[in-house]
Amino acid sequence: MSLKVLVVDDQGIVRAGFAAVIDAEEDLTVVGEAGDGAAAVRLAEELAPDVVVMDVRMPELDGIAATRIITGRENAPRVLVLTTFDLDAYVFDALRAGASGFLLKDVHPAELLQGIRVVAAGESVLAPSATRRLIGHYAAGTGGGTSAANASHELDSLTGSQRNVLTLVASGLNNAEIAEQLGITVGTVKSHVNALLRKLGLRDRVQATILAYDLGLARPNPPGTHL
């Protein structure tokens, strides 16, 4: 089955371009387009997309506010924020609002398509520059994410395997890479990830990475695209 995608951008020609690139893929289908955040909120509920490709700066309701509303609903789609402006505030606000990824609009089409597939699979994707600043910001203790003081005791609820997986998630490895490193199956890695997210009260791998840095379980590495 094709992944259903809602494309949101206030510039018609940009929106049409993204939609054409996405719709050309056999496993992706654009089910709707919106020119502002209010329309995005309405269509996300009506069309039940798997992924919303969301612009940030739009009239009436911006992409950050729209993302917060959409991801706050039951059975919410994943949101991939796509913007021209590589600003700290946009990165942090988008992730706090519930976005699963953040890419720049000048990204190569293949990277956009892969980003859609990655977030639809329950993982997260960030532009390399955003990853670098995000990690630096939270490692310095200024990110405003999950409090290490509040969450450190929750680590006691993790098994040794789950703690190891958390550390590797924070290092930027995907499930297949973690499975290879630990000598376990990808399915087992997925189970560990789901369990640790649930136990720690985290939304996704981005929040898990932030927490791992806050708690000193991970140290900054050269930035990669995926978290």
Side-chain angles (χ1 to χ4, degrees), residues 62-149:
D62 66 34
I64 303 299
T67 295
R68 185 173 294 108
I69 295 171
I70 290 171
T71 60
R73 293 170 171 167
E74 188 175 356
N75 299 319
R78 308 284 283 183
V79 177
L80 176 60
V81 169
L82 207 61
T83 180
T84 304
F85 304 95
D86 187 19
L87 301 176
D88 284 355
Y90 287 167
V91 177
F92 305 140
D93 288 349
L95 297 178
R96 281 195 291 265
S100 297
F102 184 98
L103 293 175
L104 300 180
K105 286 186 178 180
D106 62 0
V107 68
H108 190 280
E111 293 182 58
L112 168 61
L113 297 171
Q114 180 63 10
I116 293 171
R117 297 180 179 110
V118 166
V119 299
E123 299 194 25
S124 302
V125 60
L126 293 175
S129 60
T131 303
R132 180 171 58 251
R133 296 201 314 278
L134 178 72
I135 295 305
H137 200 71
Y138 280 94
T142 57
T146 301
S147 168

Side-chain angles (χ1 to χ4, degrees), residues 8 17 22 28 44 64 69 99 103 110 112 164 171 183-184 186 188 214 225:
V8 185
I22 295 167
L28 304 176
I64 303 299
I69 295 171
L103 293 175
L112 168 61
N164 288 340
S171 72
I184 58 180
V186 172
T188 299
D214 279 344
T225 303

Side-chain angles (χ1 to χ4, degrees), residues 194-215:
N194 290 336
L196 70 88
L197 291 178
R198 183 180 66 256
K199 288 180 178 180
L200 297 175
L202 304 175
R203 184 184 63 244
D204 54 29
R205 297 167 79 101
V206 171
Q207 288 194 337
T209 298
I210 291 166
L211 179 61
Y213 276 88
D214 279 344
L215 296 176

